[in-house]
Amino acid sequence: MEKQATHTGGILTNRWKFALYIGFFAGCIWGAVKIVEHYFKFTTVSIGFIAEPFFKHSFFDTWAGLFVGWVFFIGLSIIAAFLYMMTMWKLRSPWWGVGYGAVWWAIIYLAVGPFTGMTYWSWELGLYTNITDFCLFLVWGMFIGYSIAIEYTDRRFTHPIHKT
């Protein structure tokens, strides 16, 4: 991570590179979890659900489709990290990230997804799929939100501890 020295002697992280970094790793880590949960049949929605409008569904049953879906999930994570960085980067609690993930789940599974062909309606997916994917988006959002929040609101670096 490229860091710049400030006039007060502290170090600042480039916000946009950091958001790219967090989004990339959120997509890699939680995309891998999404692949595992689909492999073990915890969910019927594959990792390629974001790319579903652009490819045939049978494509995502192949290894190439799995990786294309993973790349699309990484792209979604980078976009989500940039949006979080622009709007909520000064919020200190992990609960903001959990809520952020819940909003993304609602947008994808209740609003945009069924209309674009990414997912079926949530009542058609089944209870286990809904719970599994909702929980995945909660921890995905918390990862993005709390990682960004800790970087920019951590008080350890703004108020030094004095030795007594």
Side-chain angles (χ1 to χ4, degrees):
M1 239 345 63
E2 180 181 315
K3 298 192 178 199
Q4 304 169 334
T6 65
H7 65 283
T8 59
I11 296 177
L12 293 177
T13 304
N14 183 320
R15 289 177 47 186
W16 307 110
K17 285 183 182 178
F18 188 73
L20 177 71
Y21 177 79
I22 293 299
F24 176 77
F25 282 103
C28 288
I29 293 166
W30 300 109
V33 171
K34 178 83 176 137
I35 291 168
V36 169
E37 74 182 20
H38 184 259
Y39 177 79
F40 286 115
K41 310 272 189 250
F42 292 129
T43 181
T44 58
V45 179
S46 71
I47 185 74
F49 72 98
I50 300 165
E52 196 78 37
F54 308 108
F55 296 94
K56 291 183 178 182
H57 182 72
S58 59
F59 174 67
F60 297 109
D61 294 333
T62 66
W63 280 102
L66 179 114
F67 288 115
V68 166
W70 203 351
V71 167
F72 270 76
F73 192 80
I74 291 169
L76 172 73
S77 300
I78 291 170
I79 291 168
F82 278 130
L83 288 174
Y84 195 94
M85 179 64 74
M86 288 189 299
T87 58
M88 299 172 20
W89 65 285
K90 287 191 176 185
L91 301 175
R92 293 192 186 140
S93 171
W95 293 107
W96 291 105
V98 171
Y100 190 66
V103 168
W104 272 100
W105 179 86
I107 289 170
I108 291 172
Y109 284 81
L110 301 176
V112 176
F115 291 113
T116 60
M118 284 187 209
T119 64
Y120 294 109
W121 291 101
S122 62
W123 57 84
E124 295 174 356
L125 291 174
L127 182 64
Y128 294 133
T129 294
N130 281 315
I131 290 172
T132 302
D133 287 344
F134 183 70
C135 290
L136 178 84
F137 272 88
L138 291 181
V139 294
W140 172 81
M142 186 174 64
F143 180 87
I144 291 172
Y146 203 49
S147 297
I148 291 172
I150 284 296
E151 182 68 21
Y152 294 102
T153 63
D154 192 0
R155 297 234 179 239
R156 290 181 304 166
F157 300 112
T158 58
H159 300 293
I161 299 172
H162 298 287
K163 293 183 179 179
T164 56

